[in-house]
Amino acid sequence: MFSKFKASADGVVQDADRMGGFSLKETGVYDATVKLIYFGEYKSGAQFAEAHFDIDGHMHRERLNISTKLGENTYTDTKTNKPKFLPSFETLNDIAIVTTGKEFTDLVDQIEEKTVNVYDPDLKKEAPTNVSCLIPVMGQNITLAIFRQVVDKESKQDNGSYAATGETREENALDKAFHTETGMTAYEAKSGLETGLFIELWKKKNEGKEPRNLAKGKPNSGNAGAPSSSSSAGAPKAKSNMFNKA
């Protein structure tokens, strides 16, 4: 399934850290537990990872589109002409690093098929389904930076596409993953830091703000902007295990 995926060691440029049941959370940083990460594929051939996090007894679900329809996890940056990870794949890779100390591509051989409750669009409800799960991260502690945001409601059109209805809804969206004990991002761990710095910058910029507005035709609230935690454009060299986990 992931035969075309590249790792940091393949020369892919990693972005520096940038701030750019269901219960809505205010924008902030939350300790959580990874309950489930499973994989699926769209009809187009593009692959996704569905991540479920338990935050104080409430479930946060995040859909990460981790490949193109050609099954590749990278794209070519038009400014540098170098390969970069798709943003959602980089998020998945960060989750792997801050929970296990290893990159996602080092964990692929530990993916196992499990039967879990997954939403079935035909039944319009969750149903037991056999899916491929990323076992090493499940049950691990993680800290998440989450935005509360306003987005367009969409409806399916006759041609199969989706369009804004003119109404809005609020949702939570994962922005960054941190190692719980040290507060470090994956980028900071690769850089050799001992404690997280970016997490405090993120809190200072975003906590206590109104939900950011991503609805069509409305001005952005400004929360999406972010300082970089490093001026380096390239990725630090990956270590085999960033947090000394077995």
Side-chain angles (χ1 to χ4, degrees):
M1 184 176 184
F2 305 108
S3 60
K4 295 184 180 180
F5 275 22
K6 294 181 179 179
S8 292
D10 296 321
V12 180
V13 177
Q14 179 186 356
D15 275 340
D17 299 325
R18 299 183 186 280
M19 288 186 290
F22 177 72
S23 176
L24 277 174
K25 299 289 186 184
E26 296 301 322
T27 295
V29 174
Y30 298 90
D31 290 336
T33 303
V34 183
K35 300 299 290 185
L36 173 68
I37 292 185
Y38 71 87
F39 302 95
E41 187 171 290
Y42 299 110
K43 292 181 180 179
S44 67
Q47 298 159 15
F48 67 84
E50 181 85 5
H52 295 184
F53 304 96
D54 185 324
I55 304 176
D56 297 327
H58 298 283
M59 199 64 66
H60 173 73
R61 294 173 169 84
E62 193 84 19
R63 173 65 62 90
L64 302 171
N65 296 316
I66 60 173
S67 88
T68 67
K69 62 183 179 181
L70 298 178
E72 298 172 342
N73 65 335
T74 61
Y75 69 99
T76 301
D77 188 298
T78 56
K79 294 182 179 179
T80 64
N81 203 34
K82 294 182 178 180
K84 294 184 70 173
F85 287 132
L86 296 173
S88 285
F89 174 81
E90 187 145 34
T91 297
L92 175 64
N93 199 43
D94 287 352
I95 292 169
I97 291 171
V98 301
T99 56
T100 71
K102 298 180 180 179
E103 294 202 27
F104 169 73
T105 48
D106 295 324
L107 302 176
V108 169
D109 60 353
Q110 298 179 60
I111 291 174
E112 298 179 13
E113 188 171 282
K114 299 288 184 182
T115 301
V116 299
N117 286 328
V118 174
Y119 181 78
D120 187 315
D122 296 324
L123 298 176
K124 294 184 173 16
K125 64 178 183 179
E126 290 189 342
T129 307
N130 290 333
V131 292
S132 297
C133 298
L134 188 58
I135 301 300
V137 307
M138 291 163 54
Q140 300 289 340
N141 294 329
I142 193 169
T143 298
L144 306 174
I146 288 179
F147 277 121
R148 183 166 180 162
Q149 60 190 28
V150 179
V151 296
D152 288 307
K153 286 185 178 180
E154 295 182 327
S155 62
K156 194 171 184 178
Q157 307 299 296
D158 292 339
N159 63 3
S161 64
Y162 285 83
T165 64
E167 297 181 303
T168 61
R169 62 182 178 87
E170 289 194 11
E171 66 177 16
N172 285 136
L174 172 61
D175 186 60
K176 204 72 182 173
F178 303 95
H179 182 249
T180 298
E181 293 180 7
T182 64
M184 285 195 293
T185 64
Y187 189 90
E188 288 173 325
K190 289 181 178 182
S191 299
L193 298 182
E194 297 296 328
T195 188
L197 303 176
F198 184 73
I199 189 170
E200 297 304 324
L201 293 174
W202 196 99
K203 289 178 180 179
K204 184 177 181 180
K205 180 174 180 62
N206 296 299
E207 284 188 337
K209 300 293 181 64
E210 292 295 316
R212 63 178 181 177
N213 194 340
L214 302 183
K216 184 178 180 180
K218 296 182 179 181
N220 193 285
S221 64
N223 285 353
S228 170
S229 66
S230 171
S231 60
S232 172
K237 185 177 180 180
K239 302 176 185 178
S240 60
N241 192 319
M242 265 67 76
F243 296 102
N244 297 319
K245 292 199 174 189

